[in-house]
Amino acid sequence: MKLLVTGGLGFIGSNFVRWSLKKHPALRIVNLDLRTYAGNPANLKGMDGAARHRWVRGDIADPKTVAKAMRGVDAVVHFAAESHVDRSILDASAFLRTNVTGTQVLLDAARAAGVGRFVHVSTDEVYGSVERGESKEADPLLPNSPYAASKAASDLMVRAAFVTHEFPVLVTRCSNNFGPYQFPEKALPLMITNWLDGIPFPLYGDGLNIRDWVHVTDHCRGVDLVLRKGTPGEVYNIGGTASLTNKQLIERVRRIMGVPPTLVTPVPDRKGHDRRYAVDCSKLRRLGFRHETTFEEALRRTVAWYRANEAWWRPLKGRKDVKTYYKANYGFGGKR
Ligand code: NAD
Ligand code: TDX
């Protein structure tokens, strides 16, 4: 099988490329990635099966580049996106271009090339905040952040390609991922790397927002299962195994790292901060999905990975554009 993976230099995309090349010895991957601030070729360094992987630098919103990358492709797994909620609050324009227009360009090119399956990787955030219970795949989309709204818009374009053109799309909606190679702007890698440096973690609001944590390898296994066994036109939730408030998450990591409570600084809340996400993933389980990692053990391994791979994250945190982002997001008082 020849797969086009988009966003394969990012956190989840690179984990998927590594995992897939190892799992499927005959698989070939074309990795279309623009290498934005979040794309990093170092994420794929030293992987097994590298000879079956080719990185094409290009923009998913550019029809010519996409048409070229699509040649001879059997299936598409679409990860490329602007993915950070806080950045979408500062400026939503890139989210519209990449997440919405980019997805549409990919759908059109894949359809024109006769691609057999198209997996669109989406998020639990499209359902909006759920105070109680669990979101099911047919629930209404009520996104609250510009990021979530752009992902919901892309989900609807994917749905339209199925209904209008009978193009064989599949959608996954996953909860919060953690693991190696996550950009140190997201809560967990920011927390771990700050604490390795003895710097406080900035906790938004009252710290009682709830997220459901899934190890990135379990997410990759879920996406691969949907790619191979899912029914075209269907949406599949992929949930985690640890539904925790941010304060509870902090306590778990603090215990593993042995850092004092003084290394948490309360800061003003994120604007429009969703209180809770939770998804029902019984539909995915019916396809045969089981989590293979336990949260505590995977969290320990993740902390150990950032401890051992300072050479990976320190250059990222030291980059001028990243420092500019930290300053814009955390550097002034009042509401973000
Ligand atoms: P990321 O920000 O780490 O990586 C995104 C990748 O996309 C980068 O390599 C970047 O260079 C590339 N990219 C961005 N714009 C592009 C463009 N115009 N053309 C080509 N490539 C482009 O993101 P991530 O956390 O790995 O998330 C991957 C996907 O999974 C996203 O679609 C996201 O919405 C979804 N998702 C993420 C999570 C999570 O917890 N991180 C949870 C559920 C769903
Ligand atoms: O500095 C911080 N302080 C803080 O309290 C940061 C960066 C986050 N937080 C809180 C906000 C959230 O309640 O931690 C929680 C997790 O935040 P993020 O890591 O930014 O993740 P979230 O906003 O939940 O979105 C993530 O999961 C769903 C991904 O970034 C999305 O791409 C994915 O769709």
Side-chain angles (χ1 to χ4, degrees):
M1 185 196 268
K2 184 175 170 187
L3 207 58
L4 176 69
V5 171
T6 70
L9 296 186
F11 162 49
I12 304 171
S14 66
N15 274 282
F16 182 81
V17 168
R18 266 178 194 274
W19 180 90
S20 299
L21 288 172
K22 204 168 174 183
K23 169 91 180 163
H24 305 294
L27 186 72
R28 287 176 300 141
I29 293 180
V30 176
N31 175 0
L32 177 62
D33 194 301
L34 186 57
R35 193 184 178 176
T36 65
Y37 80 94
N40 187 354
N43 294 3
L44 295 175
K45 232 171 111 184
M47 68 179 171
D48 292 346
R52 289 178 282 123
H53 166 263
R54 184 164 61 92
W55 170 36
V56 175
R57 187 172 191 174
D59 186 348
I60 58 163
D62 173 25
K64 269 196 191 141
T65 306
V66 171
K68 219 168 136 192
M70 204 64 75
R71 282 185 203 146
V73 163
D74 301 300
V76 174
V77 180
H78 173 35
F79 293 97
E82 287 294 333
S83 68
H84 193 39
V85 173
D86 291 320
R87 288 185 187 255
S88 80
I89 295 168
L90 293 169
D91 180 1
S93 51
F95 289 74
L96 266 283
R97 179 178 159 79
T98 291
N99 299 4
V100 187
T101 305
T103 299
Q104 184 55 39
V105 169
L106 279 169
L107 286 167
D108 288 346
R111 195 160 54 83
V115 165
R117 281 168 99 82
F118 185 108
V119 179
H120 173 62
V121 178
S122 190
T123 168
D124 59 359
E125 301 202 10
V126 297
Y127 298 116
S129 197
V130 284
E131 304 296 315
R132 254 165 270 102
E134 294 179 332
S135 306
K136 289 194 189 310
E137 287 84 352
D139 283 358
L141 304 188
L142 294 168
N144 293 316
S145 71
Y147 160 70
S150 70
K151 291 296 290 189
S154 65
D155 285 22
L156 295 179
M157 293 311 292
V158 171
R159 176 190 144 82
F162 178 74
V163 177
T164 306
H165 301 293
E166 297 177 11
F167 182 57
V169 298
L170 302 107
V171 177
T172 60
R173 295 190 181 135
C174 192
S175 60
N176 284 60
N177 284 223
F178 70 101
Y181 304 104
Q182 188 168 26
F183 200 86
E185 63 184 359
K186 307 281 163 58
L188 252 176
L190 185 73
M191 190 184 298
I192 297 167
T193 58
N194 275 12
W195 287 352
L196 287 172
D197 274 345
I199 298 168
F201 171 72
L203 177 64
Y204 295 164
D206 62 9
L208 297 180
N209 305 72
I210 294 172
R211 298 292 184 268
D212 183 19
W213 296 92
V214 61
H215 188 261
V216 63
T217 308
D218 275 335
H219 183 191
C220 293
R221 290 177 39 253
V223 169
D224 188 59
L225 185 65
V226 169
L227 168 69
R228 286 157 200 276
K229 300 222 173 107
T231 303
E234 294 293 318
V235 178
Y236 296 88
N237 289 337
I238 307 179
T241 54
S243 179
L244 300 170
T245 65
N246 291 332
K247 278 189 168 169
Q248 289 169 328
L249 177 70
I250 282 170
E251 282 314 298
R252 307 274 179 114
V253 182
R254 243 174 31 74
R255 256 185 274 142
I256 293 171
M257 296 184 70
V259 303
T262 46
L263 280 191
V264 179
T265 302
V267 299
D269 209 355
R270 173 186 275 175
K271 279 184 177 176
H273 196 175
D274 280 339
R275 200 62 174 165
R276 176 175 177 267
Y277 303 123
V279 290
D280 175 332
C281 39
S282 44
K283 195 167 163 186
L284 187 73
R285 276 199 291 271
R286 284 199 292 278
L287 277 190
F289 181 80
R290 298 288 175 272
H291 291 95
E292 281 186 6
T293 56
T294 57
F295 179 70
E296 281 293 340
E297 204 265 320
L299 191 61
R300 267 176 207 288
R301 270 192 287 124
T302 301
V303 169
W305 188 87
Y306 287 92
R307 212 187 271 287
N309 288 278
E310 199 177 312
W312 179 83
W313 59 263
R314 197 170 289 289
L316 300 178
K317 288 185 99 169
R319 237 164 52 190
K320 205 173 155 199
D321 66 297
V322 176
K323 285 185 167 168
T324 303
Y325 160 72
Y326 287 148
K327 192 160 192 314
N329 193 50
Y330 300 105
F332 47 81
K335 271 208 151 193
R336 253 173 300 273

